[in-house]
């Protein structure tokens, strides 16, 4: 087997069009013309794509309802028994929270059984000299210091950093703190209490758990802004399909860009 | 101090047997125990050797004692006070000066391992404890000495349990909660500023009669009084769920008694018994009087303000910075970077395409 960071290897440095060898340099624009305009490699399997979009829905719901839990809507009027505004907002938050948490579990499971691209988000190979130097290259590309981008089958190093450090780890934090707060209402005999209540003790006062859960929301909000922008930008600029990969799983490498 | 049991003591103080039995019934009920427990308590009081209590005062405001002697039921107050007052409590005992100080030594020597230390307040540790001198010695030394052979320690109030106001940032005297100084004894924390009188009498009666600590939660608080949040039993909870809030002090919604969440009520994050037991003989509690909970029984509550806003400020980010001001700044920054970067990218792309077209033509 090849290197741990195979799935992040830049594709433009060699020639292995079909991605059969561990180092898949799928497309070399510097080489003489290839017969077809595009070359495509199947990268993200269906469960990953499905998870991605379910996760998007859950996260958006969680951010909107979570925001409104801390800063509620203007008051409803009339009999309390006629309204359940905060009740439904919290209900939606918890329902989406379960979807989100189960989604992450499924994603972990698929990380274990799926192809190697399914494992990429779980850790950052900071010990790999190659990865760090390509991360530096990617930063230079993003600051217009490099003319041509390196192209990848999986996530490029910068996207990888964002997905892992600004989404996946914060997501685990949100689940831990979310269920810890949930356990307070679920009661001391609930499984949520048994599994997650210890998280409250890290701070000692639940109000801090609320505070950091909310900070976590803003972290993920920043990720979403950068992530969506970068997906669109790289789709146009980096000579490979980006957005399409999350729909059909195929990474297309454009010959000309 | 000659009395062998609490019963002897009560009788000598002129409390009738009938009153004592009544007290046992009340205590059992307030502890949430079954009726049979009343007889158990009575038996314990009659037969078990009396356990002396040393009530020490450190850096504090005496609001715990004030609360304690206002215990709703006069009977409870009399009985429980006589249970503890005769040994040592510098603020309410009759003895004074050296005579009083000698009592501590006497108890520690004669009742090794069979007495309780109740601590109100906490020891400040900075400058060798010089910020709280009692009887000519730093309080921290007296606390260590008194606890040396204690059976258990009761940490009264938020001062002893988690530091309270004097431990608020920047905590110049280094006021330190009791469990961080006394680490080798079982400790019951009874937080609150002050704790509710009935909670205090309930806890102390339980320990003295059953000679064991009540069931404690992960933070060391008695489950029977601290296992639920104010919010879980608040009578305004229906308005919370409905989405009906007081928006401004004295607005129409305040008059209607809507939920105080938007006014910074800390009920959702505060474990205490106020919304069930109530204060002053159950007459009221802060929320019932129209003011949000300030979370006084929670760790570091003084630094988790502002009291009148739902989102707490974040330490280290300047005054008035909460999660939303910080988060919104970061998100706006991300949007701005994306916009500028997007603009530059468009320019680059235009130049690159032109260049490529030229190359291809040439
Ligand atoms: C992307 C993930 C999530 C985001 C962005 C998010 C966001 C938020 C926000 C902003 C709040 C309000 C905090 C406050 O100001 O008090 C909140 C509260 C809460 N969240 Fe989440 N959350 C997420 C995941 C979860 C999960 C997985 C759970 C678990 C079921 C959960 C359970 C809760 C609970 C119990 C509360 C407190 C509700 C209350 O106080 O009434 N959250 N969330
Ligand atoms: C709440 C919003 C979103 C979240 C939390 C999110 C999260 C993620 C995560 C964690 C990954 C890594 C997938 C993996 O390796 O398992 C990913 C990949 C991806 N996401 Fe999103 N995403 C969001 C919204 C979007 C949107 C709106 C788009 C479409 C424009 C998008 C397009 C993509 C693409 C194209 C990839 C693959 C990137 C690549 O080619 O390397 N995402 N996203
Ligand atoms: S007043 Fe406070 S404790 Fe009562 S329901 Fe509203 S937020 Fe909860």
């Amino acid at each position: 087997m090849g290197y741990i960071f195979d799935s992040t290897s830049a594709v433009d440095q060699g020639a292995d069009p079909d991605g059969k060898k561990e180092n898949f340099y799928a497309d070399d624009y510097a080489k003489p013309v290839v017969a077809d305009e595009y070359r495509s490699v199947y990268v993200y399997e269906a469960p990953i794509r499905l998870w991605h979009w379910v996760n998007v829905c859950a996260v958006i719901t969680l951010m909107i309802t979570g925001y409104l839990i801390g800063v509620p809507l203007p008051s409803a009027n009339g009999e309390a028994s006629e309204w359940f505004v905060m009740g439904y907002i919290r209900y939606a938050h918890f329902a989406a929270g379960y979807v989100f948490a189960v989604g992450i579990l499924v994603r972990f499971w698929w990380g274990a059984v799926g192809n190697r691209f399914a494992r990429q988000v779980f850790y950052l190979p900071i010990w790999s000299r190659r990865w760090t130097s390509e991360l530096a290259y990617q930063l230079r590309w993003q600051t217009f210091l490099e003319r041509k981008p390196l192209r990848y089958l999986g996530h490029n190093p910068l996207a990888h950093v964002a997905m892992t450090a600004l989404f996946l780890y914060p997501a685990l934090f949100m689940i831990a703190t979310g269920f810890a707060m949930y356990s307070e209402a679920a009661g001391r005999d609930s499984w949520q209490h048994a599994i997650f209540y210890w998280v409250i003790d890290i701070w000692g006062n639940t109000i801090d758990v609320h505070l950091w859960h909310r900070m976590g929301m803003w972290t993920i909000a920043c990720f979403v802004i950068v992530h969506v922008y970068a997906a669109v930008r790289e789709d146009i600029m980096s000579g490979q399909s980006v957005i399409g990969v999350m729909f059909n799983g195929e990474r297309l490498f454009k010959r000309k860009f | 101090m000659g009395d062998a049991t609490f019963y002897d003591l009560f009788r000598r103080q002129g409390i009738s047997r009938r009153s004592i039995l009544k007290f046992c019934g009340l205590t059992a009920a307030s502890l949430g125990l079954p009726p049979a427990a009343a007889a158990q308590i009575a038996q314990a009081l009659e037969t078990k050797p009396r356990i002396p209590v040393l009530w020490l005062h450190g850096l504090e405001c005496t609001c715990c004692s004030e609360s304690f002697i206002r215990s709703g039921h006069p009977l409870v107050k009399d009985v429980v006070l006589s249970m503890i007052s005769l040994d040592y409590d510098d603020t309410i005992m009759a003895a004074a000066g050296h005579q009083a100080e000698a009592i501590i030594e006497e108890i520690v020597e004669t009742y090794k391992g069979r007495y309780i230390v109740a601590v109100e307040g906490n020891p400040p540790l900075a400058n060798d404890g010089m910020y709280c001198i009692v009887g000519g010695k730093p309080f921290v030394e007296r606390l260590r000495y008194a606890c040396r052979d204690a059976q258990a320690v009761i940490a009264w109030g938020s001062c002893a349990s988690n530091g309270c106001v004097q431990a608020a940032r920047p905590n110049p005297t280094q006021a330190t909660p009791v469990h961080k100084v006394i680490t080798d004894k079982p400790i019951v924390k009874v937080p609150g500023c002050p704790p509710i009188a009935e909670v205090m009498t309930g806890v102390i009666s339980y320990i003295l009669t059953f000679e064991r600590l009540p069931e404690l939660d992960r933070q060391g608080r008695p489950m029977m009084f601290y296992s639920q949040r104010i919010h879980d039993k608040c009578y305004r909870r229906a308005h919370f769920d409905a989405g009906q809030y007081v928006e401004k002090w004295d607005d129409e919604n305040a008059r209607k008694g809507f939920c105080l969440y938007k006014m910074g009520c800390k009920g959702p994050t505060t474990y205490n018994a106020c919304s069930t037991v109530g204060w002053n003989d159950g007459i009221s509690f802060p929320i019932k009087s129209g003011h949000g909970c300030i979370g006084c029984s929670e760790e570091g509550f003084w630094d988790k303000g502002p009291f009148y806003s739902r989102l707490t400020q974040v330490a280290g980010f300047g005054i008035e910075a909460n999660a939303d001001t910080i988060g919104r700044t970061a998100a706006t920054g991300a949007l701005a970077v994306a916009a500028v970067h997007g603009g530059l990218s468009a320019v680059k792309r235009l130049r690159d395409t032109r260049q490529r077209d030229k190359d291809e033509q040439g």
Side-chain angles (χ1 to χ4, degrees):
Chain A
M1 285 298 287
Y3 302 100
I4 256 162
F5 47 84
D6 280 350
S7 55
T8 66
S9 304
V11 293
D12 286 323
Q13 296 178 344
D16 174 24
D18 307 317
K20 288 216 179 75
K21 276 196 252 152
E22 284 301 317
N23 282 327
F24 20 38
Y25 305 120
D27 182 69
D28 187 346
Y29 55 82
K31 280 176 92 182
V33 184
V34 229
D36 40 7
E37 177 81 356
Y38 294 108
R39 181 137 282 163
S40 104
V41 182
Y42 188 55
V43 174
Y44 295 122
E45 297 151 303
I48 302 249
R49 276 135 52 205
L50 182 67
W51 167 75
H52 181 269
W53 296 112
V54 169
N55 184 59
V56 168
C57 298
V59 168
I60 288 170
T61 312
L62 283 163
M63 290 202 290
I64 294 171
T65 53
Y67 182 82
L68 293 176
I69 287 171
V71 180
L73 295 166
S75 289
N77 258 312
E79 283 295 318
S81 57
E82 285 166 13
W83 294 96
F84 200 55
V85 179
M86 184 54 116
Y88 285 128
I89 288 173
R90 292 176 73 242
Y91 182 82
H93 191 79
F94 305 152
Y98 273 103
V99 171
F100 179 72
V102 170
I104 295 280
L105 276 181
V106 167
R107 185 66 190 75
F108 267 86
W109 166 70
W110 194 258
V113 303
N115 67 18
R116 58 181 181 275
F117 304 106
R119 275 182 280 287
Q120 194 183 352
V121 276
F122 293 108
Y123 60 90
L124 296 169
I126 41 173
W127 55 87
S128 156
R129 289 280 298 280
R130 171 168 182 184
W131 185 81
T132 47
S133 80
E134 287 184 9
L135 176 62
Y137 186 98
Q138 193 69 26
L139 276 167
R140 290 198 300 277
W141 156 247
Q142 288 297 345
T143 44
F144 308 100
L145 299 173
E146 296 284 352
R147 289 217 47 204
K148 289 283 179 190
L150 294 179
R151 302 191 291 181
Y152 296 84
L153 285 170
H155 308 308
N156 76 59
L158 198 55
H160 189 180
V161 168
M163 282 158 190
T164 308
L166 288 181
F167 178 76
L168 187 71
Y169 296 163
L172 298 177
F173 177 82
M174 295 310 275
I175 292 172
T177 50
F179 276 101
M181 291 188 288
Y182 189 86
S183 78
E184 298 196 297
R188 295 192 179 254
D189 44 4
S190 61
W191 64 265
Q192 290 90 347
H193 186 271
I195 300 179
F196 291 105
Y197 187 75
W198 61 270
V199 175
I200 306 269
D201 290 346
I202 297 174
W203 288 275
N205 185 339
T206 320
I207 209 161
D208 287 328
V209 184
H210 280 261
L211 167 67
W212 291 104
H213 194 71
R214 203 168 179 88
M215 292 289 248
M217 170 187 77
W218 287 109
T219 307
I220 292 180
C222 288
F223 165 76
V224 172
I225 292 169
V226 173
H227 172 66
V228 175
Y229 164 70
V232 174
R233 190 228 188 221
E234 294 307 289
D235 198 62
I236 299 169
M237 307 274 290
S238 72
Q240 61 196 321
S241 74
V242 175
I243 297 175
V245 203
M246 265 306 150
F247 287 99
N248 56 25
E250 301 274 350
R251 180 81 77 199
L252 299 178
F253 293 98
K254 299 169 193 166
R255 192 174 56 83
K256 286 200 302 185
F257 68 98
Chain B
M1 231 184 296
D3 311 283
T5 67
F6 281 118
Y7 186 78
D8 298 341
L9 171 73
F10 298 153
R11 296 292 291 165
R12 191 165 57 78
Q13 297 218 335
I15 301 172
S16 69
R17 179 172 172 79
R18 196 181 151 77
S19 296
I20 294 168
L21 291 180
K22 236 184 183 171
F23 162 76
C24 295
L26 274 171
T27 306
S30 83
L31 295 174
L33 301 171
Q40 231 176 314
I41 296 176
Q43 223 220 328
L45 291 179
E46 274 179 282
T47 56
K48 285 201 184 154
R50 189 178 70 82
I51 308 171
V53 177
L54 292 177
W55 187 309
L56 305 182
H57 295 255
L59 209 58
E60 47 97 343
C61 73
T62 318
C63 76
C64 299
S65 292
E66 286 287 342
S67 172
F68 189 75
I69 59 176
R70 274 161 187 71
S71 185
H73 205 283
L75 191 58
V76 173
K77 185 173 66 192
D78 283 354
V79 174
V80 178
L81 262 187
S82 48
M83 260 168 153
I84 60 152
S85 64
L86 40 62
D87 296 314
Y88 181 90
D89 182 335
D90 37 1
T91 51
I92 55 178
M93 71 201 292
H98 294 298
Q99 195 194 1
E101 297 313 300
I103 298 176
I104 298 193
E105 231 169 276
E106 199 183 320
I107 300 270
V108 172
E109 298 301 323
T110 34
Y111 290 91
K112 262 191 188 356
R114 283 197 302 110
Y115 66 96
I116 306 284
V117 177
V119 194
E120 185 175 347
N122 59 31
L125 301 184
N127 295 342
D128 300 324
M130 286 306 156
Y131 296 107
C132 184
I133 305 285
V134 183
K137 280 195 201 123
F139 176 66
V140 59
E141 282 176 26
R142 146 185 299 239
L143 177 67
R144 285 208 182 97
Y145 173 73
C147 290
R148 208 179 54 195
D149 291 311
Q151 193 173 1
V153 179
I154 304 176
W156 280 147
S158 292
C159 300
S161 303
N162 52 43
C164 205
V165 180
Q166 61 273 46
R169 271 190 295 273
N171 191 0
T173 65
Q174 219 188 315
T176 308
V178 170
H179 66 272
K180 295 208 176 128
V181 176
I182 307 298
T183 48
D184 57 347
K185 292 283 178 299
I187 296 181
V188 188
K189 296 183 195 163
V190 189
C193 188
I196 304 169
E198 282 72 16
V199 169
M200 299 176 79
T201 53
V203 168
I204 203 158
S205 322
Y206 187 98
I207 296 175
L208 294 182
T209 51
F210 293 115
E211 272 191 78
R212 63 179 142 87
L213 302 185
E215 192 191 351
L216 305 179
D217 71 0
R218 293 175 63 99
Q219 290 192 17
R221 304 170 292 197
M223 288 281 242
M224 52 200 157
F225 298 115
Y226 293 91
S227 64
Q228 278 186 317
R229 299 167 300 169
I230 304 296
H231 190 60
D232 293 321
K233 288 284 176 288
C234 178
Y235 77 108
R236 299 194 185 203
R237 180 61 189 263
H239 293 299
F240 171 84
D241 288 330
Q244 301 181 310
Y245 307 102
V246 176
E247 305 275 351
K248 281 202 307 285
W249 294 119
D250 296 331
D251 67 359
E252 191 53 29
N253 295 358
R255 271 186 282 278
K256 286 184 190 155
F258 283 0
C259 166
L260 294 155
Y261 189 69
K262 283 192 183 175
M263 303 311 293
C265 179
K266 304 288 183 285
T269 55
T270 303
Y271 287 86
N272 208 332
C274 309
S275 52
T276 39
V277 176
W279 286 81
N280 300 321
D281 214 359
I283 288 176
S284 187
F285 70 106
I287 292 165
K288 201 163 167 185
S289 309
H291 188 285
C293 166
I294 62 170
C296 74
S297 55
E298 285 293 319
E299 174 96 31
F301 81 96
W302 202 260
D303 291 323
K304 311 294 179 205
F307 288 158
Y308 300 116
S309 100
R310 162 70 197 142
L311 300 180
T312 46
Q313 71 205 20
V314 186
F317 279 86
I319 298 168
E320 305 288 293
N322 61 30
D324 280 9
T325 44
I326 296 167
R328 218 172 274 135
T329 309
T332 313
L335 276 174
V337 167
V340 172
H341 198 263
L344 292 173
S345 300
V347 173
K348 173 181 156 68
R349 179 157 171 80
L350 216 64
R351 295 224 323 258
D352 284 1
T353 329
R354 285 223 187 102
Q355 183 68 39
R356 201 183 59 203
D357 288 351
K358 243 194 249 160
D359 289 353
E360 278 177 4
Q361 278 160 15

